[in-house]
Amino acid sequence: MAEQYVAAVDQGTNSTRCILFDRRGRLVSVAQREHHQLFPRPGWVEHDAGEIWNNVTRVVPAAIKQIGATPSQIVAIGIANQRETSLLWDRVTGRPIGRAVTWQDTRTDRLVTELAGSEGPDRFAQLCGLPLTTYFSAPRIRWLLDHTPGLRQRAERGEILFGTMESWLIWNFTGGANGGLHATDVTNASRTMLMNIETLEWDDRLLEAFDVPRAILPEIRPSSGVFATATEVLPGVRIGAALGDQQAALFGQTCFSAGEAKCTYGTGSFLLLHTGQEIVRSKHGMLTTVAYQIGDQPASYALEGSMAVTGSLVQWFRDGLGMIHTAAEIETLARTVEDNGGAYIVPAFSGLFAPHWRSEARGVIAGLTGYITKGHLARAVLEATGFQTLEVVDAMNADSGIALTALKVDGGMTANNLLMQFLADLLDVPVVRPMVTETVSLGAAYAAGLAVGYWPDLEGLRSNWHRAGQWMPHMDPARRATEYANWQAAVQRTFNWIRPEDQEP
Amino acid sequence: MPGTVQSIERAAAVLRLLAAAPDGLGVADLGNALGLAKTTVHGIVRTLHQVGFVEQDHSGAHYHLSDAFGRLGESYLDPNELRSRAINWADSLASRSGEVVRVGRLVEGKVEVVHHVFRPDDSDQDLDVGTTLPPHATALGKAVLAYDTSARPRSLEAYTTRTITDPVQLSEELATVRSRGWATEFEEHTVELASIAAPIRGLGGLVVGAVGLAGRIERICDSRLRHRGDLVSMVRATADAIARDLREDP
């Protein structure tokens, strides 16, 4: 019998990829297509959902063709997706209404402040585990319904569907307007602010507060479990899983037990700590989120520290400043100097995420002197990711009461040795990279493969995890303390930059 | 006698025009100046852009010479770029073969380790990225040395009794590497270890580095002490996959 594979579709912020994995969790082929980032106004970031689906229809066959396989060798599809990016579409035509509003979009700034009112941003935290910020979906849905003429009436009549990107993909994989399934999973639903974190159902109090009609919402399913059988792209293949990309990475790193943590370094970076079946409420700016749910088993939860701008700071250094030609070259440039020369870059491009959650903050370069060269700035760009991780780890340790003993890392930036060493130095723990850095896709594949019986259980998956690289801490503690103090001083200087009267209407 | 290659003549003409235009030129400007169709010029500048000789300005409308043009003697591929392109494929090779995988490139007569993947048995291992290996005593080294046109290492230091220390023998060995497209080593650097490597070819066929695996001879070689064919195939497929990645979108 021909070898069988699981196809992971990772619908990310910058691109859509299909990766095939074999039974031992090894990557066998990759196909990828980027989509356009649309910036119609300052602070707005949109995607064309039609373009994204079109990319899915191309990368999946391309990945299969790359190894000379046939669609019959695919046993399941697992979907991982950029989270919180919100789309409305027409139930009858299946066509998107406007563009998808991405997680980086800050158009709901003012709305979020209004919604918080006198109770503050934690107004809904008890119900949904999240603070009110521009990051999550519900304010975005509200904004779209308020700003598109006639849409609210149509939504209330049941003509409009809402979904994050996995819902859009599941709907299209299963026929779209011709009988497509309108569903999401618990991890994605936990990022909307509309799902009750305890019952794992849409909560009427939240729906009312955000003024979102229930009729537009998808059905909430477990993350791992057969959603439906695809009729498009891979007809006859079961969709076995859908998870938000960061939860998928936690799954791919086989962090299946309370106390296990991973950090994924991409456009943004996300540290997730598995807290078992317990809902831990953070006092230090971490988010409470669903880690995954397998079939009808109880859901597992996680604490999450989200950093909005990490890899995207390197992209800005490349595209915005033109200092380097490719993202990887930043390491070469950074190695032309010994240290940061006293410069610190705090990339609060659209406010600061965890643990500060300051939407009015904007970025600074602190400590500039005539001594600073582009090499120092390159260091400061990379170190910004390290310092942001340290802030999150500090907060996580305080919330969980357990000090991190090692950090499992993955994502594109783990190819940067200078950054990985800096992380180990700063956190003062070993930083460990697994054999498959594509953990987002791997996690989606694992969850889908479990659902269809391709893999028997979690222990089997755990035995697939192997260490591919490890960085040990070497930094002098006094220097670590000074550097961190300098960073914290720089962070203070980003606060209160945007004043309420500056905000766009 | 083979004739001259017209597209290279035209590319040279484009480069001369760009060198004389500090503000850069558009495709139409170049086409008008050379009396060539816009599509022809477009193909030429796109290729020159891909190989790194010209750059596009922010709007994408104008092309100008890149600074790489003045540094042709240097490696055209950044080592960190090579690592980021190689990482998925090197991981995959390590997990398939069960052995240590390294990506290396030739720097000042030595092989610099650009990327290192641990043997997937979760034993204690230290990252050796940035360290150097002797090119004549490792498969990784032979795989890059075979395609290097600059001077060969003058003193061939012996690491074991099997290290090739005779320049003539090394030349023969490198000729073999070139003819079959992959390199091997057997107890030439460390006793009881063997290695296999293949060159990574970037644009135009330039060898930008090599990828290889190393391990104990009983795992790397068969009962007749020949390097295992299945491992050779895996290494070559990995080098090809990295090369494809490098050529696809620079």
Side-chain angles (χ1 to χ4, degrees):
Chain A
M1 202 172 110
E3 175 108 45
Q4 293 184 310
Y5 307 103
V6 177
V9 175
D10 173 11
Q11 201 303 294
T13 304
N14 293 304
S15 68
T16 303
R17 306 196 297 167
C18 179
I19 301 188
L20 303 187
F21 292 95
D22 68 11
R23 209 175 285 273
R24 289 176 65 184
R26 299 179 301 204
L27 179 153
V28 295
S29 81
V30 186
Q32 168 170 354
R33 288 184 76 86
E34 294 197 0
H35 55 262
H36 291 95
Q37 305 293 318
L38 306 162
F39 305 100
R41 291 197 202 179
W44 291 28
V45 190
E46 300 179 340
H47 290 158
D48 176 344
E51 180 187 12
I52 286 175
W53 173 248
N54 187 40
N55 285 351
V56 172
T57 66
R58 297 168 80 160
V59 294
V60 174
I64 295 171
K65 194 172 155 219
Q66 206 179 85
I67 51 162
T70 65
S72 63
Q73 287 170 263
I74 308 300
V75 295
I77 301 164
I79 299 171
N81 58 289
Q82 53 167 326
R83 305 173 304 172
E84 301 103 12
T85 295
S86 306
L87 179 70
L88 297 176
W89 67 92
D90 187 310
R91 183 194 289 274
V92 176
T93 65
R95 275 199 283 274
I97 294 172
R99 292 175 179 148
V101 181
T102 73
W103 58 275
Q104 300 142 306
D105 190 294
T106 56
R107 76 183 64 180
T108 56
D109 252 3
R110 175 177 277 188
L111 177 61
V112 158
T113 313
E114 282 170 16
L115 286 166
S118 57
E119 289 170 73
D122 283 332
R123 184 179 164 195
F124 304 114
Q126 193 60 32
L127 287 176
C128 67
L130 307 172
L132 257 170
T133 78
T134 60
Y135 185 26
F136 305 108
S137 308
R140 239 166 245 143
I141 303 175
R142 164 75 176 269
W143 191 96
L144 288 168
L145 292 174
D146 285 353
H147 288 78
T148 318
L151 200 59
R152 178 170 294 282
Q153 291 73 22
R154 294 189 61 204
E156 279 160 4
R157 288 199 299 268
E159 296 169 20
I160 304 297
L161 301 179
F162 157 77
T164 36
M165 297 319 283
E166 83 296 346
S167 295
W168 173 241
L169 264 51
I170 292 169
W171 160 266
N172 281 290
F173 267 122
T174 53
N178 302 315
L181 173 68
H182 186 218
T184 183
D185 91 296
V186 285
T187 67
N188 277 295
S190 80
R191 316 294 292 186
T192 57
M193 298 194 81
L194 298 174
M195 189 186 79
N196 185 302
I197 192 84
E198 287 173 22
T199 64
L200 306 180
E201 287 168 358
W202 303 124
D203 189 298
D204 284 325
R205 288 163 289 183
L206 294 167
L207 297 187
E208 194 179 324
F210 287 101
D211 203 4
V212 170
R214 188 179 269 270
I216 69 170
L217 297 175
E219 179 191 342
I220 303 175
R221 299 271 192 105
S223 325
S224 172
V226 175
F227 282 73
T229 300
T231 58
E232 305 295 319
V233 187
L234 286 175
V237 179
R238 288 171 289 177
I239 301 171
L243 302 91
D245 50 11
Q246 297 311 317
Q247 281 88 343
L250 187 73
F251 208 79
Q253 284 268 27
T254 65
C255 295
F256 300 139
S257 304
E260 293 187 290
K262 69 87 204 178
C263 192
T264 302
Y265 291 93
T267 310
S269 294
F270 301 86
L271 199 153
L272 271 74
L273 171 73
H274 196 299
T275 59
Q277 271 130 45
E278 189 192 350
I279 299 176
V280 176
R281 310 234 174 224
S282 174
K283 293 181 183 66
H284 302 90
M286 302 293 106
L287 309 175
T288 306
T289 201
V290 180
Y292 54 83
Q293 185 185 17
I294 300 170
D296 52 12
Q297 297 173 29
S300 290
Y301 292 88
L303 274 178
E304 170 176 324
S306 326
M307 300 158 249
V309 180
T310 53
S312 53
L313 185 61
V314 178
Q315 284 165 13
W316 169 77
F317 199 65
R318 180 193 65 192
D319 302 333
L321 297 188
M323 294 277 194
I324 45 177
H325 297 93
T326 67
E329 273 178 34
I330 193 162
E331 185 172 346
T332 310
L333 182 55
R335 285 191 191 279
T336 60
V337 292
E338 287 298 306
D339 55 32
N340 61 25
Y344 298 82
I345 300 181
V346 186
F349 286 0
S350 45
L352 280 172
F353 279 23
H356 308 286
W357 296 106
R358 300 286 294 240
S359 56
E360 88 300 346
R362 287 298 179 270
V364 297
I365 302 178
L368 266 189
T369 60
Y371 172 73
I372 299 299
T373 64
K374 58 184 180 178
H376 296 113
L377 291 179
R379 283 235 171 211
V381 162
L382 292 175
E383 291 183 1
T385 294
F387 287 121
Q388 291 184 91
T389 308
L390 178 56
E391 289 183 322
V392 165
V393 167
D394 269 359
M396 205 76 97
N397 287 345
D399 275 332
S400 68
I402 311 162
L404 190 75
T405 53
L407 183 67
K408 286 181 171 180
V409 296
D410 53 72
M413 285 178 102
T414 57
N416 192 307
N417 277 298
L418 190 143
L419 172 60
M420 293 300 109
Q421 185 58 54
F422 185 69
L423 265 178
D425 285 342
L426 210 52
L427 301 178
D428 202 20
V429 296
V431 168
V432 186
R433 181 178 85 80
M435 201 54 84
V436 176
T437 52
E438 303 291 345
T439 51
V440 170
S441 295
L442 183 62
Y446 277 172
L450 271 182
V452 302
Y454 183 71
W455 285 295
D457 53 29
L458 297 180
E459 278 316 302
L461 298 178
R462 229 189 251 279
S463 65
N464 284 341
W465 190 96
H466 295 296
R467 189 164 52 204
Q470 177 163 269
W471 294 266
M472 303 302 287
H474 297 304
M475 194 185 268
D476 167 50
R479 180 158 165 241
R480 182 183 305 127
T482 310
E483 288 292 322
Y484 193 27
N486 290 346
W487 165 263
Q488 288 169 315
V491 168
Q492 292 295 323
R493 283 159 175 79
T494 68
F495 293 168
N496 300 314
W497 183 259
I498 300 289
R499 292 168 295 276
E501 63 271 23
D502 293 344
Q503 289 188 4
E504 300 243 348
Chain B
M1 272 289 281
T4 56
V5 180
Q6 191 184 44
S7 55
I8 296 179
E9 288 176 3
R10 288 173 173 174
V14 166
L15 289 172
R16 283 182 193 280
L17 288 173
L18 291 177
D23 295 334
L25 293 170
V27 170
D29 305 327
L30 290 163
N32 290 339
L34 297 173
L36 293 174
K38 230 171 124 173
T39 50
T40 309
V41 174
H42 191 66
I44 291 168
V45 288
R46 271 194 47 156
T47 309
L48 290 170
H49 182 249
Q50 201 187 12
V51 301
F53 284 4
V54 311
E55 283 174 345
Q56 252 174 316
D57 68 7
H58 227 68
S59 66
H62 283 78
Y63 291 88
H64 53 89
L65 279 197
S66 84
D67 56 354
F69 201 64
R71 303 185 277 113
L72 284 182
E74 298 171 24
S75 168
Y76 92 91
L77 185 69
D78 185 281
N80 296 306
E81 179 72 16
L82 177 58
R83 182 190 315 113
S84 75
R85 297 306 184 102
I87 193 163
N88 279 340
W89 307 112
D91 279 358
S92 182
L93 178 60
S95 62
R96 280 166 177 273
S97 65
E99 302 299 340
V100 171
V101 169
R102 288 186 182 83
V103 175
R105 60 168 198 152
L106 205 55
V107 178
E108 291 164 3
K110 291 204 166 131
V111 187
E112 180 191 65
V113 177
V114 168
H115 182 49
H116 172 198
V117 187
F118 289 174
R119 190 174 55 250
D121 58 6
D122 299 327
S123 61
D124 276 337
Q125 297 166 69
D126 293 320
L127 274 189
D128 58 15
V129 172
T131 62
T132 57
L133 296 168
H136 65 287
T138 56
L140 206 57
K142 291 178 198 173
V144 283
L145 210 51
Y147 303 92
D148 187 57
T149 49
S150 57
R152 293 277 147 73
R154 254 162 292 170
S155 64
L156 301 176
E157 190 187 335
Y159 292 86
T160 68
T161 54
R162 292 188 192 267
T163 309
I164 299 174
T165 51
D166 172 19
V168 177
Q169 197 193 340
L170 181 63
S171 288
E172 286 167 6
E173 172 89 2
L174 296 180
T176 309
V177 171
R178 281 191 296 274
S179 70
R180 67 186 183 189
W182 44 280
T184 59
E185 166 265 325
F186 185 91
E187 288 197 324
E188 292 157 53
H189 182 255
T190 308
V191 173
E192 293 182 357
L193 297 187
S195 60
I196 303 169
I200 301 166
R201 288 190 183 274
L203 283 168
L206 278 174
V207 171
V208 295
V211 59
L213 52 79
R216 297 189 57 82
I217 45 181
E218 64 270 23
R219 293 196 307 257
I220 303 296
C221 302
D222 60 22
S223 55
R224 297 163 65 188
L225 297 182
R226 283 186 317 207
H227 292 78
R228 278 167 48 189
D230 59 330
L231 293 179
V232 170
S233 303
M234 277 185 220
V235 169
R236 298 186 73 188
T238 303
D240 288 346
I242 298 168
R244 199 167 52 234
D245 213 317
L246 285 168
R247 285 191 302 259
E248 261 170 14
D249 54 346

